[in-house]
Amino acid sequence: GAKDAATGFLVTMVWNQDVKYPGAQNLYSRLKKALGGEEPSQHAAQSYAGMLAAAEAIRLAGSADPARVQEALKRVKLNTAFGPVSFRSYGGYQNQNSVVGLITQVQNGKFVTVAPATAATGKIVFPRK
């Protein structure tokens, strides 16, 4: 709703429709259609990746048995439209998926991913002086 007043602002998020992840644009289109034309949030993409991870763990476990699925989650390694998904322990936390933080900039009325390079589709634009 900020329109032109938002131009140049930098925003962090965990997903944006333009990221260089396989299937991101397709996921965005499908989510937007399912939402009746509303813009999908990063939470929708994150939930989608979570369901893919759960399905992969069940496949790897060969069963829906909770103990087997829990063990199989340690072997999940996916490249999704939300980004990479794998579960590991770090920083005192166990079995976490380390989400890649994105830096986006409002350019021409759209959020453009400008960092990190592995996900970026554009470059940061600095205001004129």
Side-chain angles (χ1 to χ4, degrees):
K3 307 246 186 241
D4 291 340
T7 298
F9 274 81
L10 295 167
V11 181
T12 59
M13 50 182 61
V14 295
W15 186 77
N16 188 32
Q17 68 166 343
D18 75 337
V19 290
K20 288 194 280 187
Y21 299 145
Q25 192 63 50
N26 180 275
L27 176 61
Y28 170 79
S29 297
R30 291 186 349 225
L31 287 171
K32 188 165 183 169
K33 183 179 178 184
L35 294 169
E38 295 290 321
E39 286 294 317
S41 73
Q42 61 190 16
H43 303 291
Q46 190 171 22
S47 296
Y48 174 79
M51 291 304 297
L52 289 176
E56 177 67 0
I58 291 167
R59 186 189 73 75
L60 289 170
S63 164
D65 174 71
R68 290 178 69 179
V69 171
Q70 184 178 11
E71 189 58 36
L73 279 168
K74 296 174 186 175
R75 299 191 320 262
V76 168
K77 292 194 182 344
L78 298 172
N79 286 313
T80 73
F82 177 71
V85 176
S86 66
F87 301 95
R88 60 187 180 85
S89 298
Y90 63 94
Y93 298 97
Q94 294 180 333
N95 304 318
Q96 299 293 306
N97 179 47
S98 178
V99 177
V100 176
L102 305 173
I103 299 173
T104 62
Q105 184 179 43
V106 180
Q107 298 176 1
N108 299 315
K110 295 183 178 180
F111 289 100
V112 177
T113 304
V114 295
T118 55
T121 56
K123 297 192 181 291
I124 192 167
V125 176
F126 294 100
R128 292 184 187 176
K129 292 191 178 204

